[in-house]
Amino acid sequence: MKLASGYKAFCEAAQKNYPDQTKPGGNLDWAIALSSVVTSESSDRFAKPSARGWESSFHAKLFPSYSTKVGALAMTYKGLMNVKTPFDLALYTRLIWELQPGTILELGSLQGGSGLWFADQMSALCENPGEVHSFDLNIKCIHASAKHPLLTFHQVDLSDVATFDESLLMRLPHPWLVIDDAHVQIFSIFSYLRRFLVSGDYYVFEDDPLRADKEINDGLQLVEQSGFLVDTYYTDAFGTNLTCAPNAWLRKS
Ligand SMILES: C[S@@+](CC[C@H](N)C(=O)[O-])C[C@H]1O[C@@H](n2cnc3c(N)ncnc32)[C@H](O)[C@@H]1O
């Protein structure tokens, strides 16, 4: 196991100074195991979608209290709806820090709360904060308070990819993080957008893969044929596929 830089020296010093914690199975063993997660290095991190299994109970695990007042209220940000599970918020934070995206493209703006959250995350986590572009048909729903210097909303009918501004897509800096949270013809949109993605870019399909049906399986085959691999560091961070995008945190090879 490769340790984070400086970590080996830390462990050696701990072994000397804290023998109780460094006995087999003690805190040090736990920390060493954790360090592989911190550095996110593992040979089986990236997997073909077809090599991954499905479990039918994602929804119940992710939204056990979805219908309760507390569960619904938890999905807000700065007073606006931000319909993401706590697991996924933590995963995006990690990915934005790791990827340092030049552009985040969000399909499905709703009130603008998630776009605002992405823009704030980008500001906080990226050395050179890029741009967040959020697309929706119903831009009247976007709240006046969803404003940020990095954030731009666009009106697009995602059932017709011709409504995308191709010159905008051509100029947006990479790496890209694309989040499809609109649930409209998701694989047709992927099929259109994939030509703009380059190696290292990420594409996340939220919610639809929770269905894990034939349409999703066929769609993920197209994704695999297009050179995307499941990043299991993200899908499995809290337990296998404990995310609203099971098997769908995808990185272009
Ligand atoms: C699940 S909500 C987005 C949630 C938001 N990203 C969040 O995390 O809070 C889905 C959004 O997709 C948008 N939508 C539905 N059909 C669309 C279409 N044909 N074109 C563009 N957007 C559409 C809806 O207006 C809605 O705002």
Side-chain angles (χ1 to χ4, degrees):
M1 179 185 305
K2 199 170 167 192
L3 298 176
S5 142
Y7 199 77
K8 191 163 180 291
F10 165 78
C11 293
E12 282 164 2
Q15 248 150 5
K16 196 165 150 232
N17 298 324
Y18 306 104
D20 280 356
Q21 297 198 8
T22 56
K23 62 186 181 210
N27 275 354
L28 185 63
D29 279 357
W30 175 81
I32 289 172
L34 194 65
S35 74
S36 71
V37 179
V38 173
T39 56
S40 62
E41 287 162 5
S42 83
S43 56
D44 56 356
R45 173 170 169 175
F46 296 100
K48 291 183 175 179
S50 59
R52 301 267 302 169
W54 291 101
E55 205 190 313
S56 57
S57 58
F58 297 129
H59 210 266
K61 275 188 190 161
L62 280 167
F63 300 109
S65 57
Y66 193 56
S67 59
T68 70
K69 205 171 166 192
V70 171
L73 286 177
M75 294 184 180
T76 68
Y77 182 62
K78 293 185 172 174
L80 302 177
M81 280 189 265
N82 184 21
V83 191
K84 312 226 177 293
T85 70
F87 299 110
D88 291 287
L89 293 174
L91 295 173
Y92 280 122
T93 297
R94 179 59 159 84
L95 177 57
I96 291 166
W97 173 76
E98 182 186 50
L99 182 64
Q100 297 283 309
T103 308
I104 296 175
L105 295 106
E106 178 190 53
L107 312 182
S109 316
L110 199 60
Q111 277 196 306
S114 50
L116 185 60
W117 185 82
F118 280 122
D120 276 345
Q121 292 289 303
M122 196 181 230
S123 293
L125 300 167
C126 295
E127 272 179 45
N128 298 304
E131 308 171 31
V132 179
H133 292 270
S134 184
F135 302 83
D136 207 293
L137 182 59
N138 306 308
I139 52 170
K140 281 189 181 155
C141 292
I142 294 166
H143 197 273
S145 64
K147 282 202 168 33
H148 192 286
L150 302 182
L151 175 62
T152 312
F153 292 102
H154 306 264
Q155 187 167 30
V156 165
D157 181 357
L158 292 166
S159 61
D160 176 12
V161 291
T163 58
F164 271 113
D165 175 356
E166 206 159 305
S167 61
L168 170 76
L169 297 174
M170 303 270 281
R171 78 147 187 86
L172 291 175
H174 293 261
W176 282 12
L177 166 58
V178 182
I179 300 126
D180 188 340
D181 192 19
H183 317 305
V184 183
Q185 299 184 15
I186 61 172
F187 294 115
S188 309
I189 296 168
F190 169 80
S191 198
Y192 170 76
L193 285 180
R194 67 181 163 166
R195 75 196 69 171
F196 299 97
L197 274 82
V198 301
S199 174
D201 289 351
Y202 273 77
Y203 204 108
V204 180
F205 293 98
E206 281 193 10
D207 305 333
D208 291 271
L210 291 164
R211 292 200 322 263
D213 57 13
K214 184 172 181 314
E215 184 200 338
I216 296 297
N217 267 316
D218 290 351
L220 285 177
Q221 233 169 48
L222 167 76
V223 167
E224 183 169 323
Q225 284 155 10
S226 309
F228 286 76
L229 293 175
V230 178
D231 189 342
T232 64
Y233 182 81
Y234 291 98
T235 55
D236 300 351
F238 295 105
T240 306
N241 273 328
L242 201 55
T243 159
C244 72
N247 291 339
W249 290 73
L250 298 152
R251 180 179 175 272
K252 188 168 163 69
S253 303

